[in-house]
């Protein structure tokens, strides 16, 4: 990184951009080409969403007390939302332990209640929701490489998809690095936790508990972390389960999570609700419980305890050799703290920092130095920021930054130097920071062309099903890490030198939301914005691929082309472009001609520019409850040629909880209208060849209860109603179909489970498309969910399937005639298969839509 510092202008540059451009032509900014992390840090910090705020006096008081507690606890479960946030809050702010939550997954396989993101992007949202939750309950967040693949019935099935040894590696790493005195699991390992991922998390926690101290297990980790033996392991029992089993609660350890923290003015159960409410993509808003709330813990492994979870664990400074002086200083600081003027503590805290710095390196030294640093910063009311003039900078471009700092105490502090990351030489200022005087420093930096993009580390490389592919072992367990630029400030408190740092942010003022920040992104020079990730060709007709080309550099010209496999044709072969302004966008399109035979292909984009090639897409997520997210995955589209016979045209679609099926039906040529509640009331339903209800429509659309009779009349007079899966709780009508059937929790999670053609001559398997066994190849995540388990004999079953070791589930596709029309219920998960371009799923879904036309 080449950096020139100047207080007044940006005139100097060590290497000109032109020189860079010449030397790096023909480089591709791809995941695989840039294995060297050019912007590096000495340790892995979590990504923050804005410059760190200082603590108020009562929070400082609590932090001072916490400085004198040397204990830690790690909570382990499987998903975002599994964690008991009241327990985390109790340990962080009540017991004053260093507290962590290790979630095996980022929740990538769940359903999104606030948008249409699924898979990797849903995992990115949930990762940030967890980080927001941790800001409230004060715990730290960790993950393994496991990818949530939806519901799993057993840990055995789970471990066929997740490589158990690799996951054990991750859990052992987190235990060795975090060094918990106690580990708490949310679920038991006996299967009572239901979901296979849940049981797997308990199995892994128990095995890691026993193995983390063994130097022969994963010895390759010992270059970076030491072995560690936690004291004991507990299961955080689920109170309703204990009560339903009529367990003797006296044999469990109990904690009152309703106890009140006077310094925070809240009980742990109240803090818990605020934290849990961050899980917005799951709709988990929670209310605080007030009053006694007992929670139970069952001892499982390690040193026996008689009275409390933490008994016989030394929580004092005695754990750290040579810390006696530090202990004395920090005890005095806590005792003498002046809530009216925290800065009075600065001399003694600075002395404690210096003493602690001189003790030989160890785990607790590192943890406590970090805590102490934040207490010192808060006592002085120091605000630190480094703000970019632009929200992103392209590789090879120059970026203007302004570092700023203000000391809001009377204590004399000197700003010794400022530095970007740890590559460039420091700029020495030796400037005294007088109280209330905001000091700023302009910095001009050039973003090295071989730098990595600011992508979330776990999404940096393509990944198969199962686990993310993370190259750097040191990132194991990290919640988030990106190749962000950081600005370091070296401050002198008397003669004690303390380094503070902050990521570079872009800042703006929103007319509604006020001060807003986003992480400064290192971007490719240009990127593609895609509308659809899958394009289906139902016949020999050519189709246009429409996309936007986004300029992320200054004036930029070049050409864009698509890399197509053999058999597919494209017109034109490339498109030239010329941009004047940064962030300018152009709508472009290529014409694609499919091959004659059915085929599936992945095409990639290639943007050639004067400063090299880019093969990236730009994805931006803007949700109010998490920081704005910008991510640059490889720009790819899936092309699917599948000959489809379609017998009808117009479809009415009743969106339920949210799915993208209408878009994909339009893609293959249907005329799709989204139906409002008003449409349900009117008699115009008869205009549609078929009406389809979206996933969980009968759970989410109140009016369907009242107007389902209109849908039945529609069927009776010759329509075709297709109802996709609904949850069996909170259904808005007693009877969805013309004849009774009940929806169960039956699901088939093995997406490759064999499918039995119960009724091979049935119209749904033959008209207008002939369905073969091969049409069930390549399905994703699952076969389906919420199958019916009982139905009126007037319904016909068509196909059945089951997970290994279970009986066949035949209620996933029910068909019946009613009046002049037909009614279909299906739990098969078309909402996952159509966006993924699964050809057989298209053929079968088109047959459902055409069911009325067959005799
Ligand atoms: Zn869970």
């Amino acid at each position: 990184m080449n950096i020139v510092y100047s207080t007044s202008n940006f005139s100097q540059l060590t290497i000109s951009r032109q020189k860079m451009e010449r030397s790096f032509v023909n480089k591709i900014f791809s995941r695989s080409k840039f294995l060297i992390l050019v912007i590096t840090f000495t340790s892995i910090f979590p990504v923050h969403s804005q410059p760190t705020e200082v603590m108020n006096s009562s929070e400082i008081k609590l932090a001072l007390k916490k400085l004198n507690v040397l204990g830690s606890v790690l909570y382990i479960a499987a998903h975002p939302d599994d964690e008991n946030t009241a327990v985390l809050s109790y340990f962080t702010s009540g017991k004053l332990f260093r507290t962590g939550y290790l979630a095996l997954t980022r929740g990538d396989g769940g359903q999104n209640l606030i948008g249409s993101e699924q898979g990797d992007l849903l995992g990115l949202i949930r990762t940030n929701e967890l980080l927001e939750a941790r800001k409230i309950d004060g715990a730290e967040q960790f993950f393994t490489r496991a990818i949530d693949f939806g519901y799993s019935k057993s840990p055995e099935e789970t471990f066929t998809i997740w490589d158990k040894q690799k996951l054990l590696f991750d859990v052992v790493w987190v235990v060795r690095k975090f060094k918990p005195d106690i580990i708490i699991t949310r679920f038991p390992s006996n299967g009572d936790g239901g979901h296979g991922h849940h049981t797997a998390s308990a199995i892994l926690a128990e095995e890691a508990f026993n193995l983390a101290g063994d130097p022969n297990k994963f010895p390759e980790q010992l270059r970076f972390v030491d072995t560690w033996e936690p004291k004991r392991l507990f299961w955080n029992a689920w109170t309703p389960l204990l009560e339903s089993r009529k367990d003797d609660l006296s044999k469990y350890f109990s904690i009152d999570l309703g106890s009140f923290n006077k310094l925070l003015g809240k009980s742990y159960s109240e803090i818990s609700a605020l934290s849990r409410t961050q899980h917005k993509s799951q709709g988990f808003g929670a209310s605080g419980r007030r009053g006694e709330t007992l929670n139970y813990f069952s001892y499982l492994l390690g040193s026996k305890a008689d009275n409390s979870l933490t008994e016989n664990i030394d929580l004092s400074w005695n754990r750290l050799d040579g810390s006696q002086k530090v202990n004395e200083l920090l005890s005095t600081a806590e005792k003498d703290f002046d809530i009216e003027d925290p800065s009075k503590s600065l001399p003694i805290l600075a002395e404690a920092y210096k003493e602690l710095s001189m003790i030989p390196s160890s785990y607790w030294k590192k943890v406590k130095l970090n805590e102490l640093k934040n207490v010192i910063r808060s006592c002085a009311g120091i605000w630190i920021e480094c703000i970019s003039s632009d929200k992103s900078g392209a590789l090879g471009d120059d970026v203007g930054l302004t570092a700023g700092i203000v000391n809001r105490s009377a204590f004399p502090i000197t700003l010794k130097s400022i530095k970007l990351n740890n590559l460039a030489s420091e700029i020495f200022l030796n400037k005294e920071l007088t109280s209330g005087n905001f000091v700023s420093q302009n910095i001009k930096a050039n973003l090295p062309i071989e730098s990595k993009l600011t992508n979330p580390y776990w999404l940096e490389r393509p990944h198969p099903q199962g686990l993310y592919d993370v190259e750097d072992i040191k990132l194991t367990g990290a919640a988030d890490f990106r190749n962000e630029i950081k600005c370091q400030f070296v401050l002198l408190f008397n003669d004690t030198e303390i380094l503070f740092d902050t990521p570079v942010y872009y800042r703006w003022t929103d007319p509604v939301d006020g001060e807003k920040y986003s992480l400064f992104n290192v971007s490719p020079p240009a990127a593609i914005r895609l509308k659809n990730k899958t394009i289906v060709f139902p016949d020999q007709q050519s189709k246009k691929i429409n996309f936007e080309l986004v300029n992320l550099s200054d004036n930029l010209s070049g050409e864009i082309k698509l890399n197509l496999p053999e058999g597919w044709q494209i017109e034109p072969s490339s498109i030239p472009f010329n941009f004047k302004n940064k962030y300018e966008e152009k709508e472009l399109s290529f014409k694609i001609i499919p091959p004659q035979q059915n085929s599936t292909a992945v095409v990639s984009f290639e943007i050639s520019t004067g400063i090299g090639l880019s093969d990236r897409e730009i994805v931006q997520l803007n949700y109010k409850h998490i920081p704005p997210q910008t991510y640059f995955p490889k720009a790819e589209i899936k092309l699917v040629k599948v000959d489809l016979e379609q017998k009808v045209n117009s479809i009415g679609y009743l969106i339920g909880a949210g799915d993208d099926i209408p878009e994909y039906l339009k893609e293959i040529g249907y005329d799709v209208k989204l139906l409002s509640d008003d449409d349900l009331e009117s008699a115009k339903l008869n205009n549609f060849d078929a009406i389809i209800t979206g996933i969980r429509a009968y759970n989410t659309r109140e009016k369907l209860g009242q107007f389902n009779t209109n849908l039945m009349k529609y069927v009776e007079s010759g329509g075709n109603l297709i109802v996709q899966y609904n949850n069996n709780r909170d259904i808005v009508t007693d009877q969805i179909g013309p004849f009774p059937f009940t929806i169960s929790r039956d699901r088939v999670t093995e997406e490759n489970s064999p499918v039995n053609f119960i009724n091979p001559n049935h119209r749904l398997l033959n008209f207008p498309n002939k369905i073969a066994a091969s049409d069930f190849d390549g399905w994703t995540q699952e076969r389906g969910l919420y199958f019916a388990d009982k139905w009126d004999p007037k319904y016909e079953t068509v196909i059945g399937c089951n997970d290994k070791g279970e009986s066949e589930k035949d209620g996933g596709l029910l068909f019946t005639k009613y009046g002049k029309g037909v009614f279909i219920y299906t739990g098969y998960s078309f909402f996952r298969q159509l966006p993924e371009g699964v050809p057989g799923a298209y053929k079968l879904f088109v047959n459902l839509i055409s069911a009325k036309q067959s005799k």
Side-chain angles (χ1 to χ4, degrees):
M1 167 154 260
N2 303 289
I3 298 159
V4 174
Y5 301 94
S6 71
T7 40
S8 54
N9 62 64
F10 292 163
S11 59
Q12 290 171 283
L13 266 180
T14 336
I15 296 182
S16 73
R17 184 173 166 212
Q18 290 72 22
K19 198 167 151 195
M20 287 287 230
E21 288 175 11
R22 276 199 304 279
S23 58
F24 293 104
V25 168
N26 294 333
K27 287 209 170 180
I28 295 186
F29 308 125
S30 68
R31 282 174 235 232
S32 55
K33 296 262 174 170
F34 293 105
L35 302 180
I36 310 154
L37 194 67
V38 175
I39 299 170
T40 55
F41 310 112
T42 45
S43 60
I44 290 155
F45 301 91
V47 176
H48 294 283
S49 51
Q50 63 171 72
T52 317
E53 306 220 16
V54 294
M55 294 182 272
N56 65 32
S57 280
S58 59
E59 288 164 342
I60 295 173
K61 176 74 185 177
L62 196 64
L64 280 168
K65 289 158 84 79
K66 188 168 185 146
L67 271 170
N68 292 314
V69 178
L70 284 73
S72 61
V73 57
L74 181 65
Y75 201 91
I76 300 180
H79 305 112
D81 85 2
D82 286 346
E83 78 276 25
N84 185 335
T85 47
V87 170
L88 297 183
S89 174
Y90 171 84
F91 274 100
T92 316
S93 303
K95 296 294 284 183
L96 302 174
F97 274 36
R98 187 181 183 210
T99 306
Y101 173 43
L102 169 60
L104 297 185
T105 76
R106 297 172 187 271
D108 338 64
Q111 277 133 27
N112 183 356
L113 299 190
I114 55 170
S116 61
E117 294 85 2
Q118 290 190 13
D120 290 357
L121 288 180
L122 182 56
L124 181 57
I125 291 172
R126 297 224 168 129
T127 295
N128 280 280
E129 289 179 339
L130 278 179
L131 292 174
E132 291 303 311
R134 297 297 82 83
K135 282 180 198 165
I136 293 166
D137 59 44
E140 295 167 57
Q141 182 63 48
F142 304 95
F143 294 103
T144 71
R145 286 170 284 178
I147 301 171
D148 181 3
F149 57 86
Y151 190 77
S152 172
K153 288 176 180 165
S154 69
E156 291 76 26
E157 188 219 21
T158 297
F159 288 131
T160 62
I161 293 172
W162 293 347
D163 182 323
K164 190 182 170 192
Q165 281 307 302
K166 286 184 177 169
L167 277 201
L168 194 56
F169 177 101
D170 290 5
V171 179
V172 165
W173 170 283
V174 173
V175 170
R176 284 173 173 175
K177 188 154 172 77
F178 189 78
K179 305 202 182 309
D181 294 312
I182 57 175
I183 295 180
I184 300 174
T185 64
R186 168 78 280 193
F187 303 104
S189 55
N190 66 2
D192 281 353
H195 200 316
H197 296 174
H198 291 167
T199 308
S201 73
I203 292 170
L204 289 166
E206 289 178 12
E207 291 189 19
F209 180 91
N210 289 324
L211 295 173
D214 180 354
N216 296 316
K217 194 70 192 173
F218 305 125
E220 63 274 35
Q221 295 184 355
L222 301 178
R223 280 173 59 215
F224 309 101
V225 289
D226 305 322
T227 57
W228 179 251
E229 288 181 35
K231 191 89 166 176
R232 53 183 78 97
L233 183 138
F234 295 91
W235 166 48
N236 179 196
W238 196 49
T239 312
L241 177 74
L242 301 186
E243 287 168 352
S244 72
R245 293 200 307 214
K246 301 202 164 47
D247 268 23
D248 173 12
L249 296 178
S250 67
K251 69 183 186 195
Y252 294 93
F253 294 93
S254 69
I255 287 175
D256 178 12
L257 299 175
S259 51
F260 184 69
N261 188 307
K262 296 180 206 69
L263 288 170
L264 298 178
K266 285 189 171 63
S267 69
Y268 304 110
S269 45
E270 285 175 306
I271 298 170
S272 159
L274 297 172
S275 167
R276 195 163 176 78
T277 298
Q278 300 306 307
H279 298 304
K280 295 189 192 297
S281 70
Q282 312 199 52
F284 279 166
S287 294
R289 293 172 71 174
R290 280 105 195 167
E292 188 183 72
T293 308
L294 291 178
N295 211 244
Y296 298 93
F297 298 82
S298 169
Y299 161 84
L300 295 179
L301 291 171
S303 151
K304 264 282 189 199
D306 294 320
N307 301 308
S308 82
L309 277 72
T310 56
E311 74 182 37
N312 301 328
I313 298 174
D314 185 359
L315 303 175
S316 75
W317 281 100
N318 293 338
R319 297 182 91 160
L320 188 54
D321 286 345
S323 66
Q324 200 184 342
K325 181 81 189 292
V326 178
N327 182 5
E328 284 165 17
L329 292 167
L330 290 178
S331 299
T332 307
E334 182 195 331
K335 186 162 57 69
D336 295 347
F337 180 67
D338 181 352
I339 200 150
E340 293 278 356
D341 185 3
S343 73
K344 284 186 186 157
S345 303
L346 285 169
I348 197 168
L349 292 177
E351 195 187 344
Y353 191 93
K354 192 169 153 188
E355 285 292 329
L356 185 53
S357 305
M358 290 189 296
I359 293 174
S361 294
S362 72
Y363 168 81
W364 279 112
K365 175 187 170 180
K366 200 173 160 196
V367 171
K368 292 296 167 186
L369 270 180
N370 214 22
E371 283 180 25
L372 183 50
K373 195 160 84 169
N374 285 327
V375 172
I376 290 172
R377 195 173 55 81
S378 292
C379 285
I382 295 173
W383 171 265
I384 285 171
E385 65 179 30
C386 188
I387 304 296
S388 160
S389 58
D390 204 345
K391 54 191 172 219
S392 71
L395 297 169
D397 276 354
D398 300 326
V399 52
L401 310 173
T402 305
I405 181 166
V406 59
N407 167 21
R408 291 173 285 187
S409 75
F411 190 82
I413 299 167
T414 304
L415 172 59
K416 187 180 166 198
S417 63
I418 294 182
K419 186 182 169 203
L420 279 190
N421 299 349
N422 46 14
L423 292 171
S425 56
E426 290 172 86
I427 176 167
F428 290 96
L429 295 160
N430 290 317
K431 192 171 173 61
E432 194 178 326
L433 300 174
T434 51
S435 180
N437 186 20
F438 193 94
V439 172
S440 65
Q441 170 77 33
N442 289 341
I443 307 172
K444 182 147 193 165
N446 180 272
L447 299 170
I449 202 138
E450 55 292 81
S451 177
K452 274 189 175 182
L453 307 172
T454 37
N455 274 333
Y457 80 91
W458 68 96
L459 297 174
E460 189 77 15
R461 293 147 70 96
H463 62 82
Q465 189 194 29
L467 302 184
Y468 286 112
D469 181 14
V470 177
E471 188 193 17
D472 184 354
I473 180 176
K474 296 193 294 304
L475 289 170
T476 303
D480 198 352
F481 172 77
R482 306 180 193 205
N483 187 39
E484 59 196 333
I485 305 177
K486 281 201 170 179
C487 185
Q488 302 176 334
F489 296 71
V490 178
L491 303 186
L492 281 174
F493 295 74
N494 293 331
D495 58 346
T496 305
E497 193 176 291
I498 307 180
L499 186 149
F500 295 89
D501 63 12
T502 175
V504 173
Y505 294 102
Y506 175 67
R507 175 167 58 203
W508 72 100
T509 305
D510 182 275
V512 175
D513 298 320
E515 188 171 79
K516 298 286 289 176
Y517 292 87
S518 65
L519 194 68
F520 173 78
N521 288 295
V522 179
S523 73
I528 304 292
R529 206 191 296 282
L530 290 171
K531 293 191 180 89
N532 266 350
K533 301 282 275 179
T534 302
I535 296 184
V536 180
F537 296 77
D539 51 36
Q540 211 48 47
Q541 294 286 308
S542 66
K543 275 195 168 195
K544 271 187 173 176
I545 293 188
N546 298 307
F547 60 93
E548 281 154 21
L549 179 63
V550 186
N551 180 25
L552 297 168
S553 189
D554 298 325
N555 49 19
L556 190 74
S557 59
E559 64 170 28
I560 179 164
K561 66 173 189 172
L562 283 189
N563 296 313
L564 276 168
E566 220 172 293
W568 295 79
Q569 293 171 53
I570 185 166
E571 285 173 18
S573 60
S574 69
I575 303 173
F577 64 84
N578 196 339
F579 285 115
K580 287 270 178 297
N581 302 312
K582 193 169 180 178
Y583 304 122
E584 204 180 319
E585 302 191 2
K586 284 184 197 300
E587 292 228 16
L588 301 173
S589 66
F590 285 105
K591 188 167 108 178
I592 305 275
I593 302 142
Q596 299 249 312
Q597 72 284 12
N598 287 350
S599 158
T600 297
V602 174
V603 296
S604 58
F605 288 76
E606 201 176 292
I607 313 163
S608 316
T609 76
I611 49 171
L613 298 185
S614 164
D615 60 359
R616 300 281 124 173
E617 179 187 355
I618 180 167
V619 176
Q620 289 167 304
L621 304 179
N622 283 302
Y623 286 104
K624 282 194 175 183
H625 67 300
I626 58 171
Q629 301 291 309
T630 301
Y631 158 51
F632 304 102
K634 195 163 189 223
E636 287 178 336
I637 288 188
K638 194 172 186 181
L639 302 180
V640 180
K641 166 71 192 308
V642 51
D643 286 320
L644 292 174
E645 282 286 333
Q646 296 168 222
K647 293 294 176 194
V648 303
N649 182 35
S650 70
I651 294 174
Y653 201 93
L654 278 152
I655 284 280
D659 57 67
D660 288 334
I661 287 185
E663 287 308 308
Y664 288 94
L665 293 180
K666 284 180 197 166
E667 185 61 37
I668 55 172
Y670 287 108
D671 180 12
V672 183
K673 181 174 189 283
L674 295 184
L675 299 181
S676 67
D677 287 344
D678 289 345
D679 292 326
L680 275 179
E681 276 184 72
S682 78
K684 289 183 199 148
L685 299 176
N686 291 344
N687 298 340
F688 297 104
D689 296 323
I691 292 177
I692 305 173
T693 65
I695 58 170
R696 302 209 301 278
Y698 285 88
N699 299 127
T700 56
R701 289 188 73 150
E702 206 64 52
K703 289 276 180 188
L704 267 175
Q706 195 179 341
F707 294 113
N708 200 41
T709 44
N710 289 359
L711 287 172
M712 290 306 115
K713 279 181 204 150
Y714 158 76
V715 174
E716 201 175 7
S717 60
N720 172 11
L721 178 64
I722 301 162
V723 173
Q724 297 182 83
Y725 94 83
N726 287 277
N727 192 315
N728 56 2
R729 277 181 299 184
D730 303 324
I731 299 180
V732 297
T733 172
D734 294 340
Q735 191 173 311
I736 291 178
F739 312 111
F741 66 92
T742 57
I743 296 171
S744 70
R745 295 186 66 82
D746 284 350
R747 50 169 93 205
V748 178
T749 61
E750 290 163 15
E751 68 274 13
N752 51 4
S753 62
V755 173
N756 174 27
F757 286 32
I758 302 166
N759 191 347
N761 296 322
H762 198 277
R763 65 172 83 185
L764 296 184
L765 296 176
N766 292 282
F767 179 84
N769 300 291
K770 176 86 185 159
I771 303 296
S774 60
D775 288 314
F776 291 95
D777 291 347
W779 281 47
T780 182
Q781 187 154 327
E782 64 203 354
R783 286 282 183 227
L785 62 174
Y786 294 106
F787 285 9
D789 65 344
K790 293 189 201 90
W791 48 87
D792 188 280
K794 293 192 188 71
Y795 287 104
E796 297 161 22
T797 58
V798 184
I799 48 176
C801 56
N802 53 275
D803 286 333
K804 280 188 205 85
E806 296 192 353
S807 60
E808 187 173 296
K809 307 285 183 267
D810 293 345
L813 186 54
L814 298 179
F815 171 92
T816 187
K817 292 181 201 160
Y818 178 60
K820 294 180 194 161
V822 297
F823 172 88
I824 294 166
Y825 176 77
T826 182
Y828 283 86
S829 62
F830 292 101
F831 73 104
R832 292 195 196 280
Q833 314 310 324
L834 300 196
E836 286 295 320
V838 178
Y842 273 92
K843 286 168 74 176
L844 182 55
F845 205 63
V846 166
N847 283 7
L848 306 192
I849 294 170
S850 307
K852 172 63 189 37
Q853 271 53 42
S854 176
K855 296 290 166 246

